[in-house]
Amino acid sequence: MTTPIIVFAKAPRPGAVKTRLIPALGAAGAARLHGRLVERTLATAAAAAIGPLELCGDPASDAFLAARAAAHGAALTGQGTGDLGARMHRAFERALANAPAALAVGGDCPALTAQHLREASAALAAGHDAVLAPAEDGGYVLIGLVRVHVSLFEHIRWGGPDVLADTRARFGALGWRYRELDTLWDIDRPEDLERLGNGIPDGDRLLEGLSDIVLKRP
C-alpha cells in the first residue's frame, strides 16, 4: 500500500524555533539544530520508501525548507492558519483525497527510524483505522490515518501532557481500531541534548559546532 508521509516543520529562524534550547545553544544554535533535525527527518522518511513525501512548512516560502524539499523529492506545501490541529486536519484531508492512508510526523524526533514508518504503514494496510507513535512527554511523534475526523484535532492542548490520552479517547469515541508503536522521544529541553549525543548513531554530527556542552560518555 502506498502511504504518503507528511513532515511538519517550521523554518529554522533564530528565536522562533526550539526556544527551550536557547539557554544551552543560543538562538542561532537552536535554530541550526532544528534545521538539521528537519533534514534528518526527511532523509528518514525517504529511506522508508513507502510513498510520496510532503514537507508541510511554516512558511512554505522559506528558502531552507524549499531547498530541503527539493533535495529529497518532497512536495512543499504550506501549513496555513490555525493551531496545529487545524493544520494537521487540512493536511490529512488533502493526502487522503488521493491515497488510502497517510502518516504525519514532526521534524524533531531523531529516534524515529525508517522501520517505524514502515511498521506504521503496515498497521494501516492490515486494517487498523489509525496508528500512533507515543512520545515520552505525553504527546505523539507520529500519527497515521486511513480516514480523517475533525474530533481528532479539535480542542486539544497541543504541546501539553495530555495529547496522547486525549487522542486515544477520541479514537475510542469513534470506535476506531488503532495500533501503538514504540514510545519515542524528541528534542525539546537542554537535557535532551546529552541523550541526543549518546543515544543516536549520528547524534554527535547533529550537535557538531553548536555548543561547548560536554556530553558524558557511558
Side-chain angles (χ1 to χ4, degrees):
M1 181 175 73
T2 297
T3 309
I5 303 173
I6 309 163
V7 177
F8 276 79
K10 292 182 179 180
R13 297 180 177 177
V17 295
K18 295 297 168 198
T19 55
R20 285 184 284 180
L21 297 180
I22 290 175
L25 301 178
R32 192 173 177 189
L33 176 59
H34 173 83
R36 291 176 180 179
L37 291 169
V38 171
E39 165 70 24
R40 190 183 194 281
T41 302
L42 286 167
T44 298
I50 58 173
L53 304 185
E54 175 184 335
L55 176 56
C56 195
D58 179 22
S61 59
D62 179 77
F64 173 87
L65 296 180
R68 293 306 88 214
H72 292 281
L76 180 62
T77 61
Q79 293 185 13
T81 59
D83 67 4
L84 178 58
R87 297 174 185 211
M88 292 176 67
H89 185 211
R90 282 194 298 269
F92 270 111
E93 283 190 322
R94 181 172 61 245
L96 293 175
N98 300 296
L103 306 178
V105 300
D108 62 350
C109 179
L112 182 72
T113 67
Q115 184 57 30
H116 290 126
L117 295 168
R118 295 186 195 108
E119 288 177 8
S121 177
L124 298 175
H128 291 84
D129 299 298
V131 60
L132 290 170
E136 290 182 355
D137 61 7
Y140 55 76
V141 302
L142 173 154
I143 183 171
L145 302 172
V146 298
R147 61 180 64 84
V148 66
H149 195 282
V150 67
S151 68
L152 299 175
F153 304 107
E154 285 187 332
H155 310 300
I156 289 180
R157 293 181 59 187
W158 300 104
D162 299 320
V163 173
L164 178 63
D166 288 345
T167 304
R168 287 169 174 157
R170 309 291 173 88
F171 286 156
L174 290 168
W176 285 10
R177 181 170 173 249
Y178 70 98
R179 182 185 164 194
E180 290 192 8
L181 306 181
D182 294 338
T183 298
L184 303 176
W185 54 278
D186 50 21
I187 301 293
D188 284 316
R189 304 160 300 173
E191 51 264 40
D192 296 326
L193 298 174
E194 182 174 328
R195 193 174 188 181
L196 176 61
N198 288 330
I200 299 296
D202 59 345
D204 284 346
R205 180 187 62 79
L206 293 170
L207 291 170
E208 185 178 0
L210 296 184
S211 152
D212 60 0
I213 292 175
V214 177
L215 298 174
K216 297 177 182 178
R217 299 298 177 205

